[in-house]
mmCIF file of all heavy atoms in Angstrom:
data_model
loop_
_atom_site.group_PDB
_atom_site.id
_atom_site.type_symbol
_atom_site.label_atom_id
_atom_site.label_comp_id
_atom_site.label_asym_id
_atom_site.label_seq_id
_atom_site.Cartn_x
_atom_site.Cartn_y
_atom_site.Cartn_z
ATOM 1 N N GLY A 242 5.703 7.496 17.384
ATOM 2 C CA GLY A 242 4.572 7.985 18.132
ATOM 3 C C GLY A 242 4.629 9.445 18.426
ATOM 4 O O GLY A 242 5.683 10.131 18.182
ATOM 5 N N ILE A 243 3.556 10.013 18.910
ATOM 6 C CA ILE A 243 3.481 11.466 19.195
ATOM 7 C C ILE A 243 4.472 11.834 20.341
ATOM 8 O O ILE A 243 4.876 12.988 20.422
ATOM 9 C CB ILE A 243 2.083 11.962 19.519
ATOM 10 C CG1 ILE A 243 1.511 11.139 20.693
ATOM 11 C CG2 ILE A 243 1.186 11.814 18.312
ATOM 12 C CD1 ILE A 243 0.228 11.731 21.171
ATOM 13 N N ASN A 244 4.789 10.901 21.173
ATOM 14 C CA ASN A 244 5.689 11.160 22.301
ATOM 15 C C ASN A 244 7.087 10.606 22.094
ATOM 16 O O ASN A 244 7.911 10.620 22.972
ATOM 17 C CB ASN A 244 5.119 10.579 23.617
ATOM 18 C CG ASN A 244 3.796 11.260 23.990
ATOM 19 O OD1 ASN A 244 3.692 12.454 23.898
ATOM 20 N ND2 ASN A 244 2.864 10.455 24.425
ATOM 21 N N THR A 245 7.396 10.085 20.879
ATOM 22 C CA THR A 245 8.703 9.550 20.591
ATOM 23 C C THR A 245 9.688 10.702 20.583
ATOM 24 O O THR A 245 9.462 11.746 19.903
ATOM 25 C CB THR A 245 8.685 8.872 19.220
ATOM 26 O OG1 THR A 245 7.750 7.800 19.242
ATOM 27 C CG2 THR A 245 10.073 8.273 18.934
ATOM 28 N N MET A 301 -2.904 15.578 6.196
ATOM 29 C CA MET A 301 -2.020 16.455 6.909
ATOM 30 C C MET A 301 -2.546 16.831 8.299
ATOM 31 O O MET A 301 -1.739 16.913 9.223
ATOM 32 C CB MET A 301 -1.770 17.676 6.052
ATOM 33 C CG MET A 301 -0.817 17.439 4.911
ATOM 34 S SD MET A 301 0.760 16.698 5.468
ATOM 35 C CE MET A 301 1.392 17.941 6.563
ATOM 36 N N PRO A 302 -3.869 17.123 8.526
ATOM 37 C CA PRO A 302 -4.298 17.400 9.876
ATOM 38 C C PRO A 302 -3.983 16.299 10.890
ATOM 39 O O PRO A 302 -3.704 16.523 12.043
ATOM 40 C CB PRO A 302 -5.822 17.532 9.706
ATOM 41 C CG PRO A 302 -5.935 18.045 8.288
ATOM 42 C CD PRO A 302 -4.951 17.282 7.559
ATOM 43 N N TYR A 303 -3.940 15.018 10.396
ATOM 44 C CA TYR A 303 -3.529 13.914 11.239
ATOM 45 C C TYR A 303 -2.029 13.902 11.443
ATOM 46 O O TYR A 303 -1.520 13.860 12.607
ATOM 47 C CB TYR A 303 -3.985 12.593 10.602
ATOM 48 C CG TYR A 303 -3.360 11.345 11.200
ATOM 49 C CD1 TYR A 303 -3.874 10.827 12.398
ATOM 50 C CD2 TYR A 303 -2.266 10.778 10.632
ATOM 51 C CE1 TYR A 303 -3.259 9.733 12.979
ATOM 52 C CE2 TYR A 303 -1.643 9.672 11.174
ATOM 53 C CZ TYR A 303 -2.150 9.132 12.351
ATOM 54 O OH TYR A 303 -1.537 8.043 12.903
ATOM 55 N N GLU A 304 -1.290 14.024 10.372
ATOM 56 C CA GLU A 304 0.186 13.810 10.484
ATOM 57 C C GLU A 304 0.919 14.997 11.111
ATOM 58 O O GLU A 304 2.016 14.828 11.603
ATOM 59 C CB GLU A 304 0.761 13.551 9.058
ATOM 60 C CG GLU A 304 0.244 12.252 8.516
ATOM 61 C CD GLU A 304 0.977 11.809 7.218
ATOM 62 O OE1 GLU A 304 1.879 12.575 6.755
ATOM 63 O OE2 GLU A 304 0.673 10.688 6.738
ATOM 64 N N LYS A 305 0.271 16.138 11.220
ATOM 65 C CA LYS A 305 0.941 17.286 11.841
ATOM 66 C C LYS A 305 1.078 17.118 13.367
ATOM 67 O O LYS A 305 1.819 17.847 14.000
ATOM 68 C CB LYS A 305 0.143 18.573 11.611
ATOM 69 C CG LYS A 305 -1.209 18.682 12.307
ATOM 70 C CD LYS A 305 -1.911 19.957 11.992
ATOM 71 C CE LYS A 305 -3.244 20.079 12.831
ATOM 72 N NZ LYS A 305 -3.980 21.301 12.457
ATOM 73 N N ASN A 306 0.440 16.073 13.895
ATOM 74 C CA ASN A 306 0.602 15.736 15.318
ATOM 75 C C ASN A 306 1.925 15.074 15.643
ATOM 76 O O ASN A 306 2.297 14.938 16.796
ATOM 77 C CB ASN A 306 -0.531 14.803 15.752
ATOM 78 C CG ASN A 306 -1.896 15.471 15.738
ATOM 79 O OD1 ASN A 306 -2.183 16.300 16.595
ATOM 80 N ND2 ASN A 306 -2.693 15.131 14.732
ATOM 81 N N PHE A 307 2.627 14.688 14.579
ATOM 82 C CA PHE A 307 3.922 13.960 14.732
ATOM 83 C C PHE A 307 5.119 14.827 14.342
ATOM 84 O O PHE A 307 5.015 15.495 13.298
ATOM 85 C CB PHE A 307 3.906 12.679 13.927
ATOM 86 C CG PHE A 307 2.788 11.728 14.274
ATOM 87 C CD1 PHE A 307 1.544 11.842 13.649
ATOM 88 C CD2 PHE A 307 2.937 10.764 15.261
ATOM 89 C CE1 PHE A 307 0.495 10.998 13.957
ATOM 90 C CE2 PHE A 307 1.888 9.876 15.577
ATOM 91 C CZ PHE A 307 0.690 10.047 14.938
ATOM 92 N N ALA A 308 6.142 14.763 15.119
ATOM 93 C CA ALA A 308 7.362 15.526 14.788
ATOM 94 C C ALA A 308 8.416 14.555 14.292
ATOM 95 O O ALA A 308 9.534 14.546 14.862
ATOM 96 C CB ALA A 308 7.816 16.321 15.978
ATOM 97 N N TYR A 339 -12.261 9.879 9.278
ATOM 98 C CA TYR A 339 -11.846 11.281 9.459
ATOM 99 C C TYR A 339 -12.579 12.219 8.477
ATOM 100 O O TYR A 339 -12.882 13.335 8.826
ATOM 101 C CB TYR A 339 -10.311 11.439 9.194
ATOM 102 C CG TYR A 339 -9.505 11.263 10.461
ATOM 103 C CD1 TYR A 339 -8.703 10.118 10.624
ATOM 104 C CD2 TYR A 339 -9.563 12.237 11.489
ATOM 105 C CE1 TYR A 339 -7.951 9.942 11.845
ATOM 106 C CE2 TYR A 339 -8.797 12.066 12.590
ATOM 107 C CZ TYR A 339 -7.979 10.995 12.802
ATOM 108 O OH TYR A 339 -7.280 10.820 13.956
ATOM 109 N N ASP A 344 -15.929 16.337 13.397
ATOM 110 C CA ASP A 344 -14.678 16.979 13.849
ATOM 111 C C ASP A 344 -13.639 15.963 14.104
ATOM 112 O O ASP A 344 -13.911 14.774 14.219
ATOM 113 C CB ASP A 344 -14.948 17.876 15.079
ATOM 114 C CG ASP A 344 -15.586 17.101 16.210
ATOM 115 O OD1 ASP A 344 -14.941 16.187 16.790
ATOM 116 O OD2 ASP A 344 -16.783 17.312 16.491
ATOM 117 N N GLY A 345 -12.406 16.465 14.308
ATOM 118 C CA GLY A 345 -11.243 15.522 14.501
ATOM 119 C C GLY A 345 -11.351 14.763 15.818
ATOM 120 O O GLY A 345 -10.925 13.577 15.869
ATOM 121 N N ASP A 346 -11.917 15.369 16.869
ATOM 122 C CA ASP A 346 -11.966 14.678 18.116
ATOM 123 C C ASP A 346 -12.921 13.498 18.068
ATOM 124 O O ASP A 346 -12.648 12.418 18.612
ATOM 125 C CB ASP A 346 -12.468 15.674 19.215
ATOM 126 C CG ASP A 346 -12.249 15.117 20.610
ATOM 127 O OD1 ASP A 346 -11.092 14.667 20.906
ATOM 128 O OD2 ASP A 346 -13.206 15.109 21.423
ATOM 129 N N THR A 347 -14.057 13.673 17.359
ATOM 130 C CA THR A 347 -14.992 12.540 17.154
ATOM 131 C C THR A 347 -14.320 11.414 16.428
ATOM 132 O O THR A 347 -14.447 10.281 16.787
ATOM 133 C CB THR A 347 -16.247 12.987 16.404
ATOM 134 O OG1 THR A 347 -16.884 14.070 17.115
ATOM 135 C CG2 THR A 347 -17.206 11.879 16.233
ATOM 136 N N ALA A 348 -13.604 11.781 15.338
ATOM 137 C CA ALA A 348 -12.893 10.757 14.555
ATOM 138 C C ALA A 348 -11.849 10.018 15.379
ATOM 139 O O ALA A 348 -11.774 8.790 15.367
ATOM 140 C CB ALA A 348 -12.209 11.413 13.364
ATOM 141 N N ARG A 349 -11.102 10.795 16.205
ATOM 142 C CA ARG A 349 -10.118 10.158 17.076
ATOM 143 C C ARG A 349 -10.743 9.089 18.016
ATOM 144 O O ARG A 349 -10.239 8.026 18.163
ATOM 145 C CB ARG A 349 -9.409 11.222 17.881
ATOM 146 C CG ARG A 349 -8.394 10.679 18.903
ATOM 147 C CD ARG A 349 -7.867 11.685 19.827
ATOM 148 N NE ARG A 349 -8.907 12.357 20.564
ATOM 149 C CZ ARG A 349 -9.512 11.862 21.669
ATOM 150 N NH1 ARG A 349 -9.126 10.662 22.095
ATOM 151 N NH2 ARG A 349 -10.408 12.524 22.305
ATOM 152 N N LYS A 350 -11.851 9.524 18.672
ATOM 153 C CA LYS A 350 -12.454 8.555 19.580
ATOM 154 C C LYS A 350 -13.002 7.297 18.930
ATOM 155 O O LYS A 350 -12.852 6.210 19.434
ATOM 156 C CB LYS A 350 -13.641 9.336 20.307
ATOM 157 C CG LYS A 350 -13.150 10.392 21.282
ATOM 158 C CD LYS A 350 -14.350 11.150 21.869
ATOM 159 C CE LYS A 350 -13.865 12.261 22.825
ATOM 160 N NZ LYS A 350 -14.990 13.013 23.357
ATOM 161 N N LEU A 351 -13.610 7.505 17.746
ATOM 162 C CA LEU A 351 -14.108 6.326 17.026
ATOM 163 C C LEU A 351 -13.040 5.390 16.531
ATOM 164 O O LEU A 351 -13.087 4.164 16.704
ATOM 165 C CB LEU A 351 -14.979 6.775 15.838
ATOM 166 C CG LEU A 351 -16.275 7.436 16.153
ATOM 167 C CD1 LEU A 351 -16.957 7.990 14.928
ATOM 168 C CD2 LEU A 351 -17.246 6.455 16.854
ATOM 169 N N ILE A 352 -11.941 5.966 16.006
ATOM 170 C CA ILE A 352 -10.859 5.150 15.472
ATOM 171 C C ILE A 352 -10.160 4.452 16.593
ATOM 172 O O ILE A 352 -9.792 3.293 16.559
ATOM 173 C CB ILE A 352 -9.879 5.997 14.633
ATOM 174 C CG1 ILE A 352 -10.562 6.457 13.336
ATOM 175 C CG2 ILE A 352 -8.605 5.215 14.314
ATOM 176 C CD1 ILE A 352 -9.750 7.421 12.485
ATOM 177 N N SER A 353 -9.975 5.203 17.751
ATOM 178 C CA SER A 353 -9.300 4.602 18.897
ATOM 179 C C SER A 353 -10.104 3.421 19.428
ATOM 180 O O SER A 353 -9.568 2.356 19.755
ATOM 181 C CB SER A 353 -9.150 5.637 20.014
ATOM 182 O OG SER A 353 -8.525 5.092 21.157
ATOM 183 N N LYS A 354 -11.434 3.583 19.515
ATOM 184 C CA LYS A 354 -12.272 2.486 19.983
ATOM 185 C C LYS A 354 -12.225 1.328 19.046
ATOM 186 O O LYS A 354 -12.157 0.145 19.426
ATOM 187 C CB LYS A 354 -13.718 2.990 20.089
ATOM 188 C CG LYS A 354 -14.765 1.929 20.398
ATOM 189 C CD LYS A 354 -14.619 1.400 21.815
ATOM 190 C CE LYS A 354 -15.875 0.587 22.206
ATOM 191 N NZ LYS A 354 -16.216 -0.547 21.298
ATOM 192 N N ARG A 365 -2.683 -2.814 22.267
ATOM 193 C CA ARG A 365 -3.396 -1.598 22.427
ATOM 194 C C ARG A 365 -3.562 -1.224 23.942
ATOM 195 O O ARG A 365 -3.870 -2.056 24.763
ATOM 196 C CB ARG A 365 -4.793 -1.672 21.824
ATOM 197 C CG ARG A 365 -4.832 -1.970 20.359
ATOM 198 C CD ARG A 365 -4.217 -0.850 19.515
ATOM 199 N NE ARG A 365 -4.986 0.368 19.664
ATOM 200 C CZ ARG A 365 -4.678 1.512 19.083
ATOM 201 N NH1 ARG A 365 -3.572 1.595 18.394
ATOM 202 N NH2 ARG A 365 -5.411 2.552 19.270
ATOM 203 N N VAL A 366 -3.351 0.033 24.242
ATOM 204 C CA VAL A 366 -3.577 0.620 25.546
ATOM 205 C C VAL A 366 -4.557 1.793 25.389
ATOM 206 O O VAL A 366 -4.128 2.851 24.951
ATOM 207 C CB VAL A 366 -2.245 1.090 26.237
ATOM 208 C CG1 VAL A 366 -2.531 1.606 27.630
ATOM 209 C CG2 VAL A 366 -1.238 -0.023 26.280
ATOM 210 N N PRO A 367 -5.797 1.635 25.700
ATOM 211 C CA PRO A 367 -6.812 2.618 25.366
ATOM 212 C C PRO A 367 -6.493 4.072 25.809
ATOM 213 O O PRO A 367 -6.800 4.999 25.151
ATOM 214 C CB PRO A 367 -8.082 2.090 26.025
ATOM 215 C CG PRO A 367 -7.879 0.630 26.100
ATOM 216 C CD PRO A 367 -6.384 0.408 26.302
ATOM 217 N N ALA A 368 -5.900 4.226 27.001
ATOM 218 C CA ALA A 368 -5.679 5.547 27.537
ATOM 219 C C ALA A 368 -4.700 6.380 26.765
ATOM 220 O O ALA A 368 -4.653 7.593 26.963
ATOM 221 C CB ALA A 368 -5.229 5.391 28.981
ATOM 222 N N VAL A 369 -3.931 5.759 25.910
ATOM 223 C CA VAL A 369 -2.860 6.478 25.168
ATOM 224 C C VAL A 369 -3.405 7.412 24.105
ATOM 225 O O VAL A 369 -2.902 8.435 23.800
ATOM 226 C CB VAL A 369 -1.823 5.479 24.612
ATOM 227 C CG1 VAL A 369 -0.830 6.234 23.735
ATOM 228 C CG2 VAL A 369 -1.138 4.747 25.737
ATOM 229 N N ASP A 370 -4.485 6.957 23.442
ATOM 230 C CA ASP A 370 -4.981 7.728 22.256
ATOM 231 C C ASP A 370 -5.829 8.939 22.693
ATOM 232 O O ASP A 370 -6.995 9.070 22.386
ATOM 233 C CB ASP A 370 -5.850 6.791 21.397
ATOM 234 C CG ASP A 370 -5.021 5.751 20.671
ATOM 235 O OD1 ASP A 370 -3.795 5.882 20.700
ATOM 236 O OD2 ASP A 370 -5.574 4.841 20.035
ATOM 237 N N THR A 371 -5.214 9.831 23.415
ATOM 238 C CA THR A 371 -5.926 11.002 23.877
ATOM 239 C C THR A 371 -5.721 12.253 22.941
ATOM 240 O O THR A 371 -6.352 13.234 23.040
ATOM 241 C CB THR A 371 -5.427 11.431 25.263
ATOM 242 O OG1 THR A 371 -4.049 11.561 25.276
ATOM 243 C CG2 THR A 371 -5.856 10.348 26.287
ATOM 244 N N VAL A 372 -4.715 12.117 22.066
ATOM 245 C CA VAL A 372 -4.390 13.273 21.160
ATOM 246 C C VAL A 372 -4.777 12.911 19.713
ATOM 247 O O VAL A 372 -5.402 13.705 19.015
ATOM 248 C CB VAL A 372 -2.898 13.644 21.210
ATOM 249 C CG1 VAL A 372 -2.591 14.702 20.257
ATOM 250 C CG2 VAL A 372 -2.537 14.061 22.653
ATOM 251 N N VAL A 373 -4.386 11.785 19.284
ATOM 252 C CA VAL A 373 -4.610 11.350 17.853
ATOM 253 C C VAL A 373 -4.718 9.837 17.795
ATOM 254 O O VAL A 373 -4.123 9.164 18.641
ATOM 255 C CB VAL A 373 -3.467 11.890 16.947
ATOM 256 C CG1 VAL A 373 -2.182 11.206 17.308
ATOM 257 C CG2 VAL A 373 -3.786 11.731 15.530
ATOM 258 N N SER A 374 -5.410 9.376 16.857
ATOM 259 C CA SER A 374 -5.558 7.927 16.604
ATOM 260 C C SER A 374 -5.647 7.663 15.109
ATOM 261 O O SER A 374 -6.415 8.401 14.423
ATOM 262 C CB SER A 374 -6.795 7.351 17.308
ATOM 263 O OG SER A 374 -6.751 5.934 17.252
ATOM 264 N N PRO A 375 -4.909 6.745 14.549
ATOM 265 C CA PRO A 375 -3.937 5.870 15.184
ATOM 266 C C PRO A 375 -2.765 6.686 15.848
ATOM 267 O O PRO A 375 -2.475 7.799 15.433
ATOM 268 C CB PRO A 375 -3.410 4.987 14.090
ATOM 269 C CG PRO A 375 -4.390 5.064 13.020
ATOM 270 C CD PRO A 375 -4.983 6.452 13.106
ATOM 271 N N ARG A 376 -2.114 6.047 16.826
ATOM 272 C CA ARG A 376 -1.138 6.778 17.648
ATOM 273 C C ARG A 376 0.286 6.767 17.096
ATOM 274 O O ARG A 376 1.179 7.397 17.653
ATOM 275 C CB ARG A 376 -1.100 6.104 19.086
ATOM 276 C CG ARG A 376 -0.519 4.722 19.047
ATOM 277 C CD ARG A 376 -0.441 4.147 20.436
ATOM 278 N NE ARG A 376 -1.779 3.999 20.975
ATOM 279 C CZ ARG A 376 -2.145 3.005 21.794
ATOM 280 N NH1 ARG A 376 -1.272 2.108 22.138
ATOM 281 N NH2 ARG A 376 -3.379 2.875 22.228
ATOM 282 N N THR A 377 0.481 6.078 15.957
ATOM 283 C CA THR A 377 1.825 6.049 15.360
ATOM 284 C C THR A 377 1.835 6.360 13.897
ATOM 285 O O THR A 377 0.867 6.092 13.184
ATOM 286 C CB THR A 377 2.464 4.655 15.550
ATOM 287 O OG1 THR A 377 1.660 3.655 14.997
ATOM 288 C CG2 THR A 377 2.722 4.397 17.048
#
Side-chain angles (χ1 to χ4, degrees):
I243 56 173
N244 296 317
T245 301
M301 285 307 298
Y303 166 82
E304 295 191 356
K305 71 180 183 182
N306 292 285
F307 302 87
Y339 270 111
D344 53 70
D346 194 51
T347 300
R349 174 189 60 79
K350 291 176 181 178
L351 289 173
I352 292 173
S353 180
K354 174 68 167 56
R365 302 292 298 177
V366 182
V369 174
D370 290 352
T371 56
V372 177
V373 66
S374 189
R376 68 180 64 146
T377 58

